Amino acid sequence: MKKQNEDRLIQKRNPPQWKLHQQIAHFTKDLDRLPDAQEVRQNPPRSAPRHLLPMVF
């Protein structure tokens, strides 16, 4: 019950901050999702950019 009250306070006091928290939550939820077969086919493998090579090797 206390958590719901805190959410309402954030929403009432600072709507942009509440919206940002909602966007971050949706973004992290999408990161945790595994891609389906069509998404995998649409994103072909690419080579790493040159500036990232020291991290790989």
Side-chain angles (χ1 to χ4, degrees):
M1 183 70 177
K2 187 175 182 178
K3 176 74 172 141
Q4 290 176 344
N5 290 339
E6 290 174 3
D7 290 344
R8 289 183 187 149
L9 288 174
I10 290 173
Q11 189 174 7
K12 288 179 183 178
R13 290 184 186 165
N14 195 349
Q17 182 182 11
W18 179 81
K19 182 70 174 168
L20 177 65
H21 285 227
Q22 290 295 314
Q23 290 173 340
I24 291 171
H26 290 295
F27 176 72
T28 56
K29 187 178 177 183
D30 286 343
L31 283 179
D32 196 31
R33 182 183 60 83
L34 291 174
D36 62 358
Q38 186 173 357
E39 287 176 329
V40 171
R41 276 188 240 117
Q42 288 176 347
N43 294 325
R46 298 175 298 195
S47 59
R50 184 176 288 208
H51 68 278
L52 293 178
L53 286 178
M55 290 175 43
V56 176
F57 295 105

